[in-house]
Amino acid sequence: MSRKWLLERLASPRPPDQASADAVRARADDILRPVGALARLDDVAVWVASWQRSDRPSIERPAGVIFAANHGVAAAGVSNYPVAVTAAMIEAFSARVSTVSRFAEVAGASLRVVDVGVADPSHDFRHRSAVDPDRVDIVLEAARSSVDALDTDLLIVGEMGIGNTTAAAAVSYALFGGDVHHWVGRGTGVDDDGMARKMQAVADGVRRLGREAPEAHGIDVVAQVGGLELVAMAGAIVAARERSIPVLLDGYVVTASAAALLDHSPVALSHCWAGHCSSEPGHRRVLERIGLSPLLDLDLRLGEASGAMAAVPLVKMACAGVTGVATFTEWFGS
């Protein structure tokens, strides 16, 4: 049922509020500074306004959600770390001692972790579909419920799972083609042998997909060669759109998952902005393919929503820079 829900929502996605966007754009054009002096920040404020459906956009209740799961493809030796690290990181998130936990405090954001398959990982996508159809529905429902439970005006989407940059590379390669080495990066810092194993795993998975499901696209590609948390993040993005919540995307894994939604609707990601661009070469390529420009470009490679969380204060300032600054008309009179 949940896959059906996702496809139905993407067939008729909720549009932005153009009146609010136009009102904020008009105010930005009359603000007490040279026209275009903060052009990209003004664009952010207009974007927030269009999804908050308000001509007074502001970020008061940002919320981060990290979807966590392990990957069967980790058996291919694609990471420097064992899969046990995923569970250990969930404990660190809960204890508020992780990097993103501290970032969230500074940004004034809540932070929640949703376990969608840490102890029960996805299958090894080299040999079979990573996520079975019935589990796709379960995970999508968990993601939808997680977003529906939030009281937020900005959603930050992140992930945790050993092996998931391999999954992101496989999804990207399946969606966009090209050469496999364009999509595979060093992730947790693997050496040349690790890179070779990652590229082989991605090539094997996408080759299997081409044989077994050559017509697969969108969410089915994510299920086939992605993983549980990638499916969940796709569901969370759609659930946020249904509630008209603007979304900041984190790194490569999140963006690869999001990109698959464009197979179902060309405007599926208009409520999303890229929080940052990571050091994974595939991330920049995916962003270019889907037409998203990152707010930050700091060569980060941590994941766990940290890069997007670091961009939250910038989004707050973008809104305040339009709503809290006088216009020429207000200051000097008409």
Side-chain angles (χ1 to χ4, degrees):
M1 185 65 181
S2 286
R3 181 181 179 278
K4 181 181 178 183
W5 160 81
L6 182 141
L7 296 180
E8 287 175 347
R9 295 302 179 272
L10 288 171
S12 183
R14 189 175 187 182
D17 178 22
Q18 194 60 47
S20 294
D22 290 346
V24 173
R25 174 64 68 192
R27 181 176 180 84
D29 289 345
D30 190 36
I31 214 79
L32 202 59
R33 55 179 175 256
V35 175
L38 298 180
R40 286 204 64 207
L41 291 181
D42 290 344
D43 289 344
V44 171
V46 170
W47 166 71
V48 173
S50 70
W51 293 104
Q52 290 188 350
R53 302 180 181 276
S54 170
D55 61 4
R56 304 292 294 178
S58 66
I59 305 301
E60 307 295 336
R61 303 178 308 282
V65 179
I66 300 171
F67 294 96
N70 275 317
H71 291 258
V73 75
V78 295
S79 175
N80 275 341
Y81 296 94
V83 295
V85 168
T86 304
M89 284 306 304
I90 289 180
E91 293 181 5
F93 297 144
S94 299
R96 300 181 180 180
V97 296
S98 68
T99 299
V100 71
S101 303
R102 311 313 290 179
F103 281 13
E105 280 193 16
V106 172
S110 65
L111 186 65
R112 181 182 181 189
V113 182
V114 181
D115 182 345
V116 292
V118 175
D120 186 12
S122 62
H123 304 302
D124 187 340
F125 65 62
R126 294 175 297 169
H127 309 304
R128 58 181 291 191
S129 177
V131 187
D132 295 328
D134 59 341
R135 204 166 182 198
V136 168
D137 288 343
I138 292 169
V139 169
L140 286 175
E141 186 56 42
R144 180 185 181 186
S145 298
S146 298
V147 173
D148 286 349
L150 295 172
D151 175 20
T152 184
D153 47 26
L154 179 69
L155 177 63
I156 301 94
V157 179
E159 43 62 37
M160 179 64 216
I162 296 301
N164 63 15
T165 58
T166 304
V171 169
S172 301
Y173 183 37
L175 290 175
F176 301 115
D179 295 323
V180 65
H181 70 269
H182 288 157
W183 303 110
V184 179
R186 295 193 180 271
T188 53
V190 295
D191 59 15
D192 289 347
D193 289 341
M195 278 285 286
R197 291 191 294 269
K198 286 184 74 170
M199 284 191 282
Q200 189 63 57
V202 170
D204 289 347
V206 175
R207 188 179 303 114
R208 177 198 59 76
L209 173 63
R211 290 195 307 267
E212 298 177 7
E215 302 303 317
H217 68 289
I219 191 64
D220 296 323
V221 169
V222 179
Q224 282 280 347
V225 294
L228 293 156
E229 82 274 39
L230 281 84
V231 171
M233 291 186 293
I237 290 166
V238 174
R241 176 64 166 263
E242 190 173 17
R243 290 184 54 198
S244 199
I245 300 170
V247 175
L248 278 184
L249 305 176
D250 195 43
Y252 188 22
V253 184
V254 183
T255 307
S257 174
L261 297 175
L262 293 173
D263 278 357
H264 303 292
S265 169
V267 296
L269 302 182
S270 58
H271 66 304
C272 299
W273 202 295
H276 78 117
C277 183
S278 75
S279 63
E280 285 290 294
H283 189 201
R284 191 176 300 278
R285 288 190 172 91
V286 173
L287 289 173
E288 290 172 352
R289 292 294 186 99
I290 66 178
L292 289 182
S293 180
L295 286 171
L296 301 175
D297 194 345
L298 300 174
D299 208 29
L300 308 178
R301 58 183 182 89
L302 178 58
E304 65 184 49
S306 57
M309 192 65 75
V312 171
L314 197 59
V315 178
K316 287 186 173 185
M317 285 186 283
C319 293
V322 171
T323 62
V325 178
T327 64
F328 279 96
T329 302
E330 291 167 345
W331 196 246
F332 294 107
S334 56

